[in-house]
Amino acid sequence: MTGHQSLDVLIVGAGFSGVYQLHKLRKAGFSVQLFEAGSGLGGIWYWNCYPGARADSDFSVYQYSIEELWKGWTWKEKFPGQQELIDYFQYVDKKLDLSRDISFNTRVTSASFDTPTSRWTVFTDTGVVVKPRFFILCTGFAAKRLFPDIPGLDTFRGTMYHTSLWPRDGVDMAGKRIGVIGTGASGVQVIQEVGPTASHLTVFQRTPSLALPLNQSPVSVAAQTKMKKEMYPVIFKRRLQTFLGFQYDRLNSGVFDLTPEERYLLFEDLWSKGGFYPVFGSCNDIITDAKANDEVYAFWRKKVHERVRDPEMQRKLAPEKSPHPFGTKYNSLEQSYYEIFNQPNVDLIDLNDNPIVEVVPEGVKTRDGVVHEFDILVLATGFDAVTGSISAIDIKGIDGVSIGDRWKKGLSTYLGMTVPGYPNMFFQYGPHGPTAFCNGPTCAVSLQSTQFLSNANPSQEVQGDWIMDCLSYLRRNNYAHIDATQEASEGWYKRVADLWSAGLFDRAKSWYTGANVPGKRVEPLNFAGGLPLYVSLIQESARGGYTGFTLTPVTADAEAKL
């Protein structure tokens, strides 16, 4: 690519959203380039190559709904692992001829908007500078790694890895003394993977992981062939109709609308299905009613105790009182996580009782004076999620203020895709969208349906299609740029906050609100009203000619510069 290239659209990030945008915008006739910091497609799956990494959505919904793609691809597992997902992205790349418009190993470092030309100037770590008219951030919700602030971390003499910076050729962990700090999703997956072969495993836990059974299984070619004849199109349409963007939804009854016998049978059935069924396929008041929530936690706790033999381990992993309302923090999915703690070579350190004091060359020292010696230390400490991947880039809007500095005073977005004062900039799967409560590909895909739209465009939009249609509208009507109004942004913030406070979420400290990041402002980062409501709201704006935005026409002067 040449140094100062002008183009219609620059996309940042080659995960599900970025790849989809590249494909759709090219088809719509826009000149598009995509910059990706990694050397291959996959987004979070490119980076998360640690042992046991896999999707938390089953294969039928964790893919593109583009017919030419799903007709030719066959999955191996119900919940695809990292390598299978990378294979899928390579297949998508070949089918859609994507790489010709992608610059790999290119990290965007800063960007600024020039009002007279209605263009962004975008800088990269390779020295390449581009000037797109539209700037689309598909950087994902989990790209800015979070490292623990532990004294002496850099003095450890063994090998240390963050789960999202795992060596691509793997690590031999068999027969090693391993320490894992963190029991979120990546921690759970690493622990159950390395536990059986480690000489000794020590897990440092701050908050018990209220993990749900994955219920993994292989999927046959015959079953998928049958699904492709009729079921796939139905599932792809159905996932736009459900709260979480899956093929199943919450029930129309509350926990105490059922008899004790009905509750027992329902909970058992949902447990056997695996995945997120026990939370998002269950009664509709689990996240809003504390007593209903307690019922679910009691059932979960009983299930865990049945799998863990030692009473002290039971207490640490599934205490009598829930550490937070069930489902208000991310529920990791597991296969053998709890059985690992039955092994004699596994220790579990409760950091509330015995916190880490420092890391020393030999390992980790806790408050009781014990030095836990390790060959390998794994940091499963997560991310500055939802906002971090955007604020990590020095993006300056029309007032010259970096978006990271602006958001320190309070998050501001409109429709969970735009920010006032940053014209012609869009983002997907980020702040104030349904991010934490939506199956990722559902936010990126297009379905041929007229359920919500009555105009000439037959697409049922979520974020990817909404942005594409918006750009097409601006081009068709000769607008130079679009910018969310401050009033609309404040209204959106209030809506997000009201939906958040209607649930039990405020009783949990999690990445859902930024509470996992020291010093970060704690506030709702996600739209918690469910996908159907979100879809109706963003489409309402589009139908009204993009209400909540200021649209600036192209002037004769500006037209010469565009």
Side-chain angles (χ1 to χ4, degrees):
M1 178 183 290
T2 57
H4 291 266
Q5 179 182 350
S6 295
L7 67 154
D8 292 333
V9 186
L10 176 68
I11 301 166
V12 183
F16 271 105
S17 295
V19 165
Y20 181 75
Q21 288 276 241
L22 175 59
H23 171 62
K24 295 296 285 188
L25 288 168
R26 282 195 326 195
K27 286 188 69 175
F30 290 93
S31 59
V32 192
Q33 280 285 327
L34 188 152
F35 287 174
E36 165 57 44
S39 61
L41 299 182
I44 195 169
W45 299 113
Y46 172 85
W47 299 103
N48 282 2
C49 55
Y50 58 82
R54 70 178 58 253
D56 60 9
S57 306
D58 78 64
F59 72 96
S60 64
V61 295
Y62 206 72
Q63 61 178 312
Y64 293 114
S65 65
I66 300 169
E67 187 172 356
E68 65 179 297
L69 295 179
W70 58 257
K71 275 194 169 181
W73 180 258
T74 301
W75 296 95
K76 298 174 184 176
E77 293 184 301
K78 182 179 179 182
F79 294 90
Q82 185 265 348
Q83 186 56 56
E84 186 171 10
L85 288 162
I86 292 299
D87 293 343
Y88 175 68
F89 272 99
Q90 291 172 349
Y91 160 78
V92 171
D93 186 11
K94 185 176 180 180
K95 289 286 285 187
L96 302 182
D97 190 22
L98 299 169
S99 285
R100 63 183 169 89
D101 289 314
I102 300 176
S103 295
F104 293 106
N105 302 305
T106 304
R107 183 179 296 276
V108 171
T109 56
S110 63
S112 59
F113 186 74
D114 179 61
T115 302
T117 62
S118 294
R119 285 189 177 274
W120 285 89
T121 301
V122 182
F123 298 87
T124 69
D125 63 352
T126 65
V128 170
V129 179
V130 292
K131 295 188 175 183
R133 190 172 168 205
F134 300 104
F135 186 36
I136 303 179
L137 297 161
C138 297
T139 48
F141 79 98
K144 185 179 179 182
R145 301 167 190 92
L146 193 61
F147 291 86
D149 184 17
I150 301 174
L153 194 63
D154 59 349
T155 68
F156 180 57
R157 281 202 303 254
T159 52
M160 180 168 57
Y161 306 103
H162 191 287
T163 48
S164 77
L165 279 175
W166 207 264
R168 307 208 65 76
D169 54 356
V171 177
D172 181 10
M173 304 180 79
K176 303 291 177 62
R177 300 168 299 170
I178 302 169
V180 178
I181 300 176
T183 56
S186 60
V188 166
Q189 290 178 331
V190 168
I191 289 162
Q192 66 186 8
E193 190 76 13
V194 305
T197 61
S199 67
H200 195 277
L201 172 65
T202 302
V203 176
F204 296 91
Q205 169 190 281
R206 181 181 60 185
T207 305
S209 181
L210 308 189
L212 296 169
L214 188 72
N215 287 1
Q216 177 70 299
S217 63
V219 286
S220 69
V221 174
Q224 291 176 77
T225 300
K226 186 176 180 181
M227 291 176 73
K228 290 173 185 178
K229 290 180 179 178
E230 185 174 303
M231 190 177 293
Y232 266 0
V234 172
I235 289 175
F236 294 145
K237 291 178 183 178
R238 174 59 178 158
R239 67 182 180 180
L240 271 294
Q241 302 165 0
T242 67
F243 187 92
L244 210 64
F246 287 160
Q247 71 274 45
Y248 56 85
D249 206 0
R250 298 175 300 176
L251 304 178
N252 290 323
S253 57
V255 167
F256 297 109
D257 293 333
L258 308 177
T259 66
E261 294 76 19
E262 287 174 321
R263 281 200 300 276
Y264 174 83
L265 292 174
L266 172 65
F267 290 176
E268 285 286 347
D269 179 56
L270 296 173
W271 191 264
S272 70
K273 290 179 177 178
F276 295 120
Y277 271 96
V279 180
F280 292 103
S282 188
C283 298
N284 58 15
D285 57 353
I286 287 174
I287 303 299
T288 57
D289 184 273
K291 289 185 178 179
N293 194 280
D294 288 343
E295 284 287 307
V296 178
Y297 178 75
F299 177 85
W300 173 88
R301 180 172 179 264
K302 177 176 176 291
K303 286 292 188 183
V304 172
H305 280 212
E306 289 172 355
R307 296 167 60 186
V308 179
R309 293 193 293 265
D310 179 69
E312 182 63 11
M313 284 290 190
Q314 290 177 344
R315 181 189 70 80
K316 291 178 180 179
L317 292 166
E320 183 175 356
K321 180 176 173 56
S322 176
H324 51 78
F326 198 83
T328 57
K329 287 183 70 169
Y330 178 80
N331 293 94
S332 302
L333 301 186
E334 56 83 29
Q335 300 180 76
S336 58
Y337 178 68
Y338 294 104
E339 284 77 8
I340 291 296
F341 295 97
N342 292 326
Q343 296 178 194
N345 66 325
V346 176
D347 290 329
L348 177 60
I349 309 297
D350 186 339
L351 296 179
N352 297 292
D353 298 335
N354 190 18
I356 294 172
V357 175
E358 62 178 331
V359 172
V360 296
E362 297 79 18
V364 175
K365 183 178 181 180
T366 46
R367 189 170 63 183
D368 59 4
V370 174
V371 173
H372 306 269
E373 298 187 2
F374 302 122
D375 303 305
I376 298 173
L377 184 59
V378 177
L379 305 179
T381 47
F383 303 88
D384 179 357
V386 187
T387 58
S389 61
I390 297 174
S391 60
I393 304 172
D394 183 18
I395 304 171
K396 290 183 170 66
I398 55 178
D399 58 2
V401 175
S402 173
I403 199 166
D405 291 337
R406 176 168 182 162
W407 280 350
K408 284 178 183 177
K409 301 174 183 177
L411 190 56
S412 60
T413 81
Y414 180 49
L415 303 182
M417 290 184 283
T418 64
V419 181
Y422 296 78
N424 289 6
M425 186 185 83
F426 304 86
F427 56 83
Q428 291 180 241
Y429 217 49
H432 284 174
T435 307
F437 306 109
C438 184
N439 169 46
T442 305
C443 280
V445 300
S446 165
L447 299 178
Q448 299 306 308
S449 167
T450 56
Q451 180 174 351
F452 292 105
L453 294 179
S454 57
N455 59 22
N457 184 345
S459 296
Q460 179 169 337
E461 305 161 297
V462 191
Q463 291 180 323
D465 288 314
W466 191 95
I467 292 170
M468 184 194 71
D469 285 348
C470 178
L471 269 55
S472 298
Y473 178 89
L474 297 174
R475 180 177 61 181
R476 189 167 59 249
N477 292 282
N478 208 29
Y479 286 111
H481 65 252
I482 182 171
D483 191 10
T485 68
Q486 188 62 36
E487 181 183 9
S489 174
E490 290 170 0
W492 188 255
Y493 187 98
K494 185 178 186 305
R495 184 184 291 273
V496 169
D498 288 347
L499 288 167
W500 191 259
S501 62
L504 302 171
F505 298 106
D506 285 335
R507 303 186 190 185
K509 291 179 63 177
S510 79
W511 61 263
Y512 289 176
T513 60
N516 64 313
V517 181
K520 186 173 180 176
R521 181 186 173 98
V522 176
E523 58 187 333
L525 302 181
N526 299 275
F527 181 93
L531 191 60
L533 175 59
Y534 180 77
V535 168
S536 70
L537 291 171
I538 65 174
Q539 290 177 340
E540 182 183 335
S541 170
R543 285 199 200 95
Y546 296 94
T547 54
F549 292 94
T550 299
L551 278 64
T552 303
V554 173
T555 63
D557 241 6
E559 190 165 14
K561 299 175 184 178
L562 284 177

